[in-house]
Structures are given as C-alpha cells and as structure tokens.
Amino acid sequence: MQKEIRRYLFIGEFDSLLLGIFSKRGEVIWVSSLEEALNQTGNFTIIMIEHNTFSPKLSNELGVHYPQTPLIVSNGSDHGEPPASVRYVAFDKILSEEISREERLARTELRVEELRAVHANAKKLLILLHDHPDPDSIASALALRTLLRRNKQTAIIGHLGEKISRPENVAMIELLDIDLKALTYSKLKAYDSIALVDVQPTFFGDKLPEVDTVIDHHPMVGSYEAKFKEIRAEEGATSTILTKYLRSSQMVISERLATALLYGIKTDTITLIRDANPDDVEAFTFLYPDANLPLLRRIERAEVPPEEIKSFGQALADHWIKEGIFFVNVGRVDREYLIPKMADFGIQVKGVEWSVAFGILSNSHLVISVRNVGYVKSAGRLVRDLFREIGSAGGHRSAAKAVISLGKVRKTIGKGSQDKIKKWVTEAFTKAVTEKAEEENN
Ligand SMILES: [Mn+2]
C-alpha cells in the first residue's frame, strides 16, 4: 500500500520550532488568515488553528471547504463547546502522542457524522442482529441507537432467529431491560431504513431488502452495497468500534450502556485473551469505570433453569476422549445453547486440547460446537475445512461451530443413526486434529 503523504495546514501565529518538527512528519503550509487558508489546494491531514485566530465562523468555513479534515485548536478550551470535528488540544500536547489520538478521534467523529446523515430521515429504523444475538451484537445495537440519538420507539432492535435460550444472554436482556424483537422476513418491509451490527448482509443469503449501514468486526464476506460500511476485522468486538464512535462524538455513556458494551467486549474476546487488539483494551479500560460490575457478575453467573439439569446429566453421560479430543453427544435438544455449554465444559477436562459437542436441534439440524485450548490449529478454519461443503461452518481461533441439515448428513453418511453420526464426527475430528500435529512436527 502506498504511504499517504501527510500535509498540515497551520493558521495563525505558531512557534517556528513546532513548524520545524511537523515539517519532519510531512508537508507544512503556514498561513495567517482564513482567506489564505481557503486559497490552498489539495487535502490536509489536519488543520491546526492558533487559539487567538479561532472563531466559530472560521471553523464553519473551513468545515465546508475541507469537509474531511479534523480541525485542532491549540489551547482552545475557553471557546466553549467545540463544534463537531473541532478539537481543543493544549499547546504542550500538540507535540505529544496525544495529538495523534485526538486526530484519530476527530476522524472517527467525521465518520459518525456520515453515519448519522445516512439515517437522519428514517422514520422507522431497524437495527438488525444475526440470528443468535450475543452480548456483543446486543450492546452494539444499543450503542448505535444512542449514537443516532434515537429511542426504542424510533429505532427497533430485532433479529430473525429463534427464541434466545443461552442463560447469560437471557439475563443480559432482562437485567439491562433491553427490548429485542423477534422478527420474520415479511416484517422487514415495515422499516424504511436498516442497519446491521455484528453481521453482514451475505449472512442472510439474498433474503434481506437493501440495508443502509453495516458495522461489523468479522472479515468481509462476499460483496454487497451499503451507504455506510465499517468492517474492521482487526477488532475483537463490534462493541469496540461503537465505543470509539461514542467516545469520539463525546456522547454521555450511561451505566447501562457501559455495562452492555463492556460485557460485549468481554465475551467476544474472552476478557481480552482471544483476538483482542490494543483498541479493544483501550475501549475496555475506557468503559470499565462506568460499568455496573455487580450487575455484570449477576449476568455472568446466570443460573441454569432447574428443569435443564437433567438434560445436562443426560448429555454428559455419552462422552469419550480420543487423541486429546473430548467428544460429547448431547443427543436431541430443543435449545441450542446446551451444545456450546457442553463444549465449554469439555475443554476444562485435564489433558484435553479439543472439545467437540454435537447434537440434533429441533429434529432438523446437526449442530457441532468446537473449542480448543487456543495454541493449536484454528478451530474456525478446521470446521470450515471439514463442513463448509455441506453446511454453514466457521468461527474464531478457539471457538467454532457448524450447522448441517439432517438431509445433508444423510446424504453424506447414509441414513443416520446416532451411532453412525458419532462415528463420523469422531473420525473427522481425530483425523483433522492429528493431521495438523504431523504437519507441525515436520
Ligand atoms: Mn461480535
């Protein structure tokens, strides 16, 4: 990728030392008046305005002339609330790291302005999640609603999946009082604008109407059109992207929202140890003081309903360990979360490096949930290699999932008795996991 040339516009009286330092970073143009500033050609990385030269008129005209450029006013705090995309930075900090952070925040704020413009005229906005709403997606939806200054009447949060069953997610929704609408495809017509968070249109096949916004941290999947796209595969959670948005536009983050976002980052990155980057850590640190930690603990230790204990016992009864892989056949279930729960349990067994739990959901699909210890082959890649031809399969480095219709299972292994499925799954994973071990030894 070609490195962008940095150009700085300085307006007003500045110390020549400061200009000298910036000229080492890029091209510096130094002018003394607004007229001269407006006569420049090309774009600037940032525009630096000396505090005595600054006025709201100046910032307005610069904003029109250089719409994509952050404006930074040295020592500008006595000018009151800064207009959008203008930041006040103390003079001594202009030379420090802080200036690049302020520049990033100002850039993000410009993105937020674009995002707001996309939905400005929507009477009924739908913020749509994937079919298995998890804390990251729910928190991101709440954050987007806040960012767009909407409420639960003017921005509906919805999903097209089954009823939510994972106890932690149910607890999050109840304790944080989140209204989440279960929708069907035919209901989507009622909305005049749709924003997707933590998911992309291709996930839904071609069944979605046009969407205006897509904000996600999964890698870009397929091609699609949207007025506003923010795909940041380097971030550990969509909540991190939305936290940056809220922070850059200096919105007040309520305790409820901070708790939701913190939980979103926490679950998607397993408390910053899975696929987390410095942005996730920064967002986590930023939210932490405002989150309600006792409430978060209540969400996290959401109790298992007593009537499910029996299913847990039955599920665990049928388990075996082969080549360091813990297998458990959960059998037939109506609530999907039992399967990942069992996979989570399996990875805690001593000596185990992989855990594979599977079961038949609602008599229609085989669901396979996979965990590993994190320093072996990527679980996401492994299930994709094994099952992408016959079902949907994917996930992260240490947690992944595959869903295969029973029809496809029958096509692959013949009329499926439980024993046949067990044998098939055991052999597939044993082979895939040990193959990798051989590769690594070479
Ligand atoms: Mn996520």
Side-chain angles (χ1 to χ4, degrees):
M1 203 169 76
Q2 202 188 345
K3 202 164 181 269
E4 202 184 325
I5 298 167
R6 306 180 75 78
R7 296 181 81 227
Y8 302 98
L9 179 61
F10 282 77
I11 309 171
E13 298 277 317
F14 281 97
D15 192 281
S16 58
L17 180 69
L18 181 75
L19 300 175
I21 290 168
F22 270 86
S23 64
K24 291 209 170 62
R25 300 184 182 178
E27 184 189 349
V28 168
I29 291 170
W30 181 25
V31 300
S32 57
S33 67
L34 173 64
E35 289 69 43
E36 284 177 83
L38 297 180
N39 276 333
Q40 302 304 316
T41 51
N43 292 315
F44 291 97
T45 315
I46 29 180
I47 298 176
M48 212 78 85
I49 306 159
E50 200 274 327
H51 151 80
N52 289 321
T53 318
F54 179 80
S55 68
K57 176 179 179 282
L58 178 113
S59 90
N60 280 343
E61 296 205 14
L62 287 172
V64 173
H65 202 76
Y66 302 106
Q68 294 305 319
T69 312
L71 308 180
I72 289 174
V73 182
S74 71
N75 291 328
S77 54
D78 55 341
H79 291 291
E81 267 292 288
S85 94
V86 176
R87 308 193 84 80
Y88 298 148
V89 180
F91 189 74
D92 55 345
K93 287 183 176 153
I94 288 186
L95 285 174
S96 71
E97 277 297 301
E98 202 128 337
I99 193 76
S100 19
R101 205 194 71 194
E102 291 300 325
E103 183 195 325
R104 279 201 312 275
L105 286 171
R107 257 175 216 295
T108 307
E109 194 179 358
L110 289 164
R111 287 288 282 161
V112 171
E113 291 302 315
E114 284 174 44
L115 173 60
R116 285 183 176 139
V118 165
H119 299 287
N121 298 320
K123 276 202 195 69
K124 253 185 124 187
L125 168 68
L126 172 65
I127 302 174
L128 184 63
L129 315 178
H130 41 76
D131 289 357
H132 301 277
D134 60 3
D136 183 37
S137 64
I138 297 167
S140 299
L142 274 187
L144 179 60
R145 189 160 78 186
T146 303
L147 198 71
L148 297 175
R149 303 191 186 93
R150 286 175 179 259
N151 56 35
K152 59 182 177 187
Q153 273 83 41
T154 56
I156 305 297
I157 302 173
H159 70 98
L160 296 156
E162 307 274 306
K163 193 165 179 276
I164 293 171
S165 65
R166 206 180 168 92
E168 296 92 318
N169 298 351
V170 174
M172 178 189 187
I173 290 163
E174 277 174 8
L175 292 172
L176 293 176
D177 188 25
I178 297 163
D179 3 37
L180 195 57
K181 254 203 163 85
L183 300 166
T184 54
Y185 282 96
S186 63
K187 294 259 166 66
L188 299 180
K189 289 193 291 282
Y191 298 90
D192 50 4
S193 187
I194 298 178
L196 299 185
V197 290
D198 205 38
V199 68
Q200 295 174 47
T202 36
F203 172 89
F204 301 91
D206 48 11
K207 289 185 283 184
L208 281 193
E210 202 174 291
V211 304
D212 289 323
T213 286
V214 183
I215 304 173
D216 190 19
H217 71 121
H218 297 97
M220 184 85 173
V221 191
S223 67
Y224 51 85
E225 290 296 316
K227 291 186 186 121
F228 184 92
K229 260 192 229 181
E230 189 83 275
I231 310 300
R232 297 250 168 204
E234 73 278 13
E235 312 286 18
T238 303
S239 295
T240 297
I241 305 171
L242 267 310
T243 302
K244 284 201 284 187
Y245 279 9
L246 291 165
R247 194 179 175 185
S248 76
S249 52
Q250 289 151 68
M251 305 268 315
V252 176
I253 302 181
S254 67
E255 181 184 89
R256 169 175 174 252
L257 183 54
T259 309
L261 287 166
L262 190 77
Y263 189 45
I265 298 172
K266 197 164 183 253
T267 51
D268 260 32
T269 64
I270 319 187
T271 319
L272 303 175
I273 62 163
R274 179 181 70 193
D275 302 326
N277 80 359
D279 285 350
D280 299 306
V281 178
E282 198 182 313
F284 192 91
T285 316
F286 176 74
L287 295 164
Y288 195 83
D290 294 323
N292 183 335
L293 300 177
L295 188 67
L296 193 55
R297 276 191 286 275
R298 279 182 64 197
I299 295 172
E300 288 186 311
R301 65 166 306 282
E303 299 90 67
V304 170
E307 63 273 19
E308 306 250 301
I309 296 171
K310 220 173 169 181
S311 332
F312 273 59
Q314 280 163 356
L316 271 179
D318 194 11
H319 78 266
W320 57 101
I321 297 174
K322 199 181 168 195
E323 305 273 0
I325 311 169
F326 178 94
F327 290 96
V328 53
N329 173 26
V330 181
R332 293 176 183 279
V333 290
D334 290 323
R335 277 190 266 186
E336 186 175 344
Y337 87 93
L338 269 174
I339 300 168
K341 261 270 183 283
M342 289 299 122
D344 286 338
F345 176 81
I347 200 63
Q348 297 174 57
V349 176
K350 194 175 173 188
V352 156
E353 288 200 323
W354 289 82
S355 169
V356 177
F358 58 95
I360 292 167
L361 179 66
S362 310
N363 218 3
S364 68
H365 285 82
L366 175 67
V367 176
I368 307 174
S369 188
V370 182
R371 302 286 182 268
N372 69 31
V373 283
Y375 48 79
V376 288
K377 186 180 184 182
S378 159
R381 204 171 314 143
L382 190 133
V383 299
R384 257 196 315 276
D385 288 349
L386 285 174
F387 304 112
R388 79 175 144 217
E389 308 272 290
I390 52 171
S392 75
H396 301 276
R397 154 154 276 290
S398 55
K401 172 183 166 182
V403 182
I404 307 151
S405 73
L406 285 185
K408 276 272 164 33
V409 171
R410 266 179 231 121
K411 263 201 190 126
T412 312
I413 61 168
K415 204 160 163 22
S417 67
Q418 290 275 340
D419 281 340
K420 244 182 179 168
I421 294 176
K422 280 164 68 173
K423 192 161 169 269
W424 176 55
V425 172
T426 308
E427 277 169 7
F429 278 94
T430 313
K431 188 157 172 273
V433 168
T434 47
E435 248 170 19
K436 178 61 186 170
E438 272 160 27
E439 264 167 54
E440 273 166 354
N441 288 340
N442 286 341

